[in-house]
Amino acid sequence: MLFENMSMAVQAIKANKMRSFLTMLGIIIGIGAVIAIVSIGDTMRFMVSDLYKNVGMTLAYVYVWPQDGDDMRSGDYFNLDEIGRIKEVFPEDIVYIDSNASYGTEAIYGRTKVKYNFEGIDANYPDVNKIDIIYGRNLNESDIKARKNNVVLEAEGARDLFGTENAVGKSFRTTIYGETGYYNVVGVYRLDQTPIEAMMMGTSKTKAGYLPYTLLTWPNDNIYSVRLYAKEGTDMDAFAARFTSYVAKTKNRSKEDITFYSAASEMKSVDTVMGGLSAAVGGIAAISLLVGGIGIMNIMLVSVTERTREIGIRKALGAKTTDVLIQFLTESAILSAFGGILGIAAGAGLVLLGGTLLGMHVVIKPVVIMVAVGFSALVGVFFGIYPASKAASADPIDALRYE
């Protein structure tokens, strides 16, 4: 019986192709919009998550805030000795720590001047954040401890400054914290970026490079904040509580004066916000499904009116009220489901096309597609109940008399 009803529903839809398509248009637009918006939201969440994973989920920054709104006192800062003690206190938790310092300046070589932002790092920084060295070497322990004026440059910046990527052995002049000196290039690295990283970073005239972090502690070896990487698998919330307690104790400060800011917590916050926005916008787009459902109900009422004699004949031949009800509900559901399938194709197609053009990995979850198809059919059934019940309750004698 079900297959017979489905066959009759398909024939009825085929008999009025244009009307059926226009009826489905509201569902197509609604489902397509929902699929596209949810998929774009999921894609953005995936890319943000991937970006954080590249940075490191165990990355954290620690700040000590001034007391009573005053300027920082000398005792409020971290220093190089304290960084050494932190390594000793948390040997099982921390795999990397530095001063979280960077400095923007201008590198000069002959008549060429290039703006640089130098990041201070320790010797084991490549263990937590890969540096793709193509010429020379990374900074080593000797560079860090002796505070040597050695630098590792990004390849594009090296080419802009020296006219060649292989700048190992060359020197340039620059000023850092008011002191002008010559810095030696010991290595050149290639900056590998994913499409999303490149899009978010954009194009900048300021080039990048690495210096020993011990050179970027000013004044008097003071360090405003520290950057650290915990071991993989570390419970960052539990570690943050222990680390904050330690810093508060050594600085004789309240825990509220210490900020422990981790990539994991930031990613959770961003993911929550993006998920909420995606759901909200998807909900707004779903309103068009209501419009599509009303269109289906309208057309089904027209269909019931046009097929009044058919309904009378079926009832006269012994069709039960439930048989007629199921027939029109099936037609309404199939009409809506077809619209949902076309909407999914349109929405997913647009997202895939956009992802291909932008060179981005697109996320379209199968569960979203299944829910969309099911929901579209449900819309058809819901809005088809009234027309179907009207058809089912028709008096066969009156129906046969209908012209």
Side-chain angles (χ1 to χ4, degrees), residues 15-28:
N16 298 279
K17 296 183 179 65
M18 180 56 68
R19 187 174 73 180
S20 297
F21 174 75
L22 293 176
T23 302
M24 291 187 291
L25 196 56
I27 299 296
I28 294 171

Side-chain angles (χ1 to χ4, degrees), residues 116-121 151-154 189 207-211:
Y116 268 91
N117 185 67
F118 291 110
E119 182 180 353
I121 63 171
V151 62
V152 177
L153 297 182
E154 190 266 322
Y189 69 96
K207 305 307 176 183
Y210 295 114
L211 283 173

Side-chain angles (χ1 to χ4, degrees), residues 152-270:
V152 177
L153 297 182
E154 190 266 322
E156 185 178 341
R159 185 170 60 250
D160 291 349
L161 184 61
F162 298 105
T164 177
E165 288 186 354
N166 189 359
V168 175
K170 296 182 181 294
S171 299
F172 61 87
R173 180 166 53 90
T174 193
T175 302
I176 295 179
Y177 294 139
E179 294 186 7
T180 302
Y182 284 88
Y183 289 76
N184 306 309
V185 180
V186 297
V188 177
Y189 69 96
R190 178 176 288 111
L191 184 62
D192 294 323
Q193 291 181 318
T194 63
I196 182 61
E197 288 175 323
M199 184 175 66
M200 294 180 70
M201 297 294 288
T203 57
S204 174
K205 293 182 179 180
T206 302
K207 305 307 176 183
Y210 295 114
L211 283 173
Y213 82 93
T214 48
L215 291 176
L216 299 180
T217 55
W218 180 89
N220 301 321
D221 286 347
N222 286 327
I223 299 170
Y224 172 63
S225 64
V226 295
R227 171 178 60 177
L228 61 85
Y229 282 82
K231 287 185 178 179
E232 290 293 333
T234 298
D235 183 337
M236 294 303 290
D237 292 332
F239 173 63
R242 289 189 290 115
F243 193 85
T244 300
S245 296
Y246 169 79
V247 174
K249 183 178 179 180
T250 57
K251 296 295 183 182
N252 193 26
R253 299 289 294 275
S254 167
K255 291 181 181 179
E256 286 69 29
D257 296 332
I258 316 298
T259 295
F260 188 100
Y261 186 67
S262 69
S265 61
E266 183 181 4
M267 194 198 80
K268 288 179 183 177
S269 299
V270 172

Side-chain angles (χ1 to χ4, degrees), residues 26-339:
I27 299 296
I28 294 171
I29 293 173
I31 292 294
V34 171
I35 289 290
I37 290 172
V38 172
S39 297
I40 289 172
D42 288 338
T43 298
M44 294 303 295
R45 291 170 72 182
F46 169 81
M47 289 189 294
V48 170
S49 174
D50 195 49
L51 182 61
Y52 274 102
K53 287 178 182 177
N54 289 338
V55 170
M57 293 302 295
T58 60
L59 170 65
Y61 300 92
V62 185
Y63 303 86
V64 180
W65 296 101
Q67 299 188 68
D68 301 323
D70 297 330
D71 292 335
M72 295 281 280
R73 303 172 305 173
S74 179
D76 292 330
Y77 290 96
F78 295 97
N79 57 51
L80 293 177
D81 290 337
E82 286 181 323
I83 286 184
R85 285 197 296 272
I86 288 172
K87 291 179 181 179
E88 295 172 359
V89 174
F90 298 96
E92 300 300 320
D93 301 294
I94 297 176
V95 295
Y96 178 84
I97 186 170
D98 66 23
S99 62
N100 185 33
S102 61
Y103 193 86
T105 185
E106 190 173 59
I108 303 172
Y109 178 73
R111 295 184 178 181
T112 304
K113 299 179 180 180
V114 176
K115 291 183 178 180
Y116 268 91
N117 185 67
F118 291 110
E119 182 180 353
I121 63 171
D122 203 348
N124 65 328
Y125 184 69
D127 293 342
V128 295
N129 206 327
K130 182 183 176 183
I131 301 178
D132 185 14
I133 296 291
I134 55 176
Y135 300 107
R137 63 173 176 82
N138 277 308
L139 298 175
N140 56 33
E141 286 287 347
S142 176
D143 297 323
I144 308 301
K145 292 181 178 179
R147 301 189 179 191
K148 295 180 180 179
N149 287 4
N150 287 343
V151 62
V152 177
L153 297 182
E154 190 266 322
E156 185 178 341
R159 185 170 60 250
D160 291 349
L161 184 61
F162 298 105
T164 177
E165 288 186 354
N166 189 359
V168 175
K170 296 182 181 294
S171 299
F172 61 87
R173 180 166 53 90
T174 193
T175 302
I176 295 179
Y177 294 139
E179 294 186 7
T180 302
Y182 284 88
Y183 289 76
N184 306 309
V185 180
V186 297
V188 177
Y189 69 96
R190 178 176 288 111
L191 184 62
D192 294 323
Q193 291 181 318
T194 63
I196 182 61
E197 288 175 323
M199 184 175 66
M200 294 180 70
M201 297 294 288
T203 57
S204 174
K205 293 182 179 180
T206 302
K207 305 307 176 183
Y210 295 114
L211 283 173
Y213 82 93
T214 48
L215 291 176
L216 299 180
T217 55
W218 180 89
N220 301 321
D221 286 347
N222 286 327
I223 299 170
Y224 172 63
S225 64
V226 295
R227 171 178 60 177
L228 61 85
Y229 282 82
K231 287 185 178 179
E232 290 293 333
T234 298
D235 183 337
M236 294 303 290
D237 292 332
F239 173 63
R242 289 189 290 115
F243 193 85
T244 300
S245 296
Y246 169 79
V247 174
K249 183 178 179 180
T250 57
K251 296 295 183 182
N252 193 26
R253 299 289 294 275
S254 167
K255 291 181 181 179
E256 286 69 29
D257 296 332
I258 316 298
T259 295
F260 188 100
Y261 186 67
S262 69
S265 61
E266 183 181 4
M267 194 198 80
K268 288 179 183 177
S269 299
V270 172
D271 187 65
T272 300
V273 171
M274 293 187 69
L277 286 174
S278 179
V281 177
I284 294 172
I287 293 175
S288 58
L289 288 174
L290 178 63
V291 178
I294 293 172
I296 287 177
M297 181 170 65
N298 184 44
I299 292 301
M300 289 304 298
L301 285 171
V302 172
S303 180
V304 168
T305 302
E306 288 180 345
R307 294 158 65 185
T308 301
R309 285 181 62 82
E310 175 192 330
I311 294 169
I313 293 171
R314 288 200 67 193
K315 290 195 127 185
L317 292 175
K320 298 178 181 179
T321 299
T322 53
D323 294 333
V324 178
L325 179 68
I326 292 173
Q327 176 191 345
F328 280 91
L329 278 179
T330 302
E331 185 175 330
S332 177
I334 289 177
L335 193 65
S336 183
F338 279 171

Side-chain angles (χ1 to χ4, degrees), residues 2-22:
L2 176 62
F3 291 106
E4 182 182 346
N5 284 330
M6 292 179 66
S7 176
M8 291 174 64
V10 171
Q11 289 174 8
I13 291 172
K14 285 182 177 179
N16 298 279
K17 296 183 179 65
M18 180 56 68
R19 187 174 73 180
S20 297
F21 174 75
L22 293 176

